[in-house]
Amino acid sequence: ICPVGTYSSEASAKCENCADGTYASSTKSATCSQCPTTCDGYCIKTSGLCAACKAGYGYSNGNCTQCQAGTYSPLGSTTSCQSCSSTSWSNAGASSCTTCPGCSACGSTTGTCTSCKAGYKLVSGKCTACTGLTYSTGGTATTCSSCPASCKTCDNTNGKCLTCIGGYKFTSSTGVCTQ
């Protein structure tokens, strides 16, 4: 009878160590079993439990379970799956989360924006930057507002002038152009 982590074939009375990537969890093993494919590298030769998990799998007591959508786990993890932030998302089995561009909040499993950062408008679940002489304070605004006509350029997050058209004086403390 061989100790766990070793095996003995019927043709041999000698106990052999299990090769890397295999294990034997019983004292009467005739062969070694393959480590679970969810392990990152090798498993413990006496139990078959993972020492760490592949990317996209959460670790719990030597077992690795695929991360659900909205969560992630990096390569070689020995922790449970982590939740994506409020501005990122992931599919099941992800090793990282993907940022939702321009969003101040998005669905963690879909990437659909529910609220935008200042300077963006919400259109069909995506945040689109305000361009030209327009601005948005963000949130759930679906359109960009026009900056004052006296602005030559303006801040797309608040509508304040950055420079003025000819004939107007710029007040930097207020972002206003006056004649």
Side-chain angles (χ1 to χ4, degrees):
I1 295 178
C2 296
V4 293
T6 65
Y7 72 100
S8 177
S9 65
E10 290 181 25
S12 170
K14 185 179 172 188
C15 295
E16 301 283 340
N17 288 325
C18 291
D20 288 342
T22 65
Y23 71 97
S25 58
S26 122
T27 57
K28 298 177 185 179
S29 296
T31 61
C32 296
S33 300
Q34 289 294 314
C35 293
T37 58
T38 56
C39 294
D40 180 30
Y42 308 121
C43 64
I44 298 168
K45 291 184 183 206
T46 58
S47 65
L49 294 174
C50 298
C53 299
K54 280 185 176 179
Y57 289 82
Y59 181 87
S60 177
N61 300 318
N63 296 302
C64 300
T65 307
Q66 186 179 47
C67 295
Q68 296 179 353
T71 66
Y72 73 99
S73 182
L75 180 65
S77 178
T78 55
T79 61
S80 59
C81 298
Q82 305 297 309
S83 294
C84 294
S85 73
S86 64
T87 58
S88 63
W89 69 283
S90 74
N91 289 317
S95 60
S96 64
C97 296
T98 302
T99 300
C100 303
C103 299
S104 57
C106 68
S108 65
T109 62
T110 62
T112 301
C113 294
T114 55
S115 180
C116 297
K117 295 177 185 176
Y120 292 82
K121 62 183 176 180
L122 184 62
V123 180
S124 302
K126 294 186 187 296
C127 293
T128 305
C130 295
T131 58
L133 292 173
T134 64
Y135 74 97
S136 170
T137 56
T140 57
T142 57
T143 60
C144 296
S145 302
S146 294
C147 294
S150 58
C151 296
K152 182 175 182 181
T153 59
C154 71
D155 185 327
N156 73 345
T157 66
N158 60 23
K160 292 183 178 181
C161 296
L162 299 172
T163 58
C164 303
I165 60 172
Y168 284 79
K169 180 183 173 198
F170 180 63
T171 307
S172 62
S173 61
T174 60
V176 173
C177 296
T178 53
Q179 278 188 316

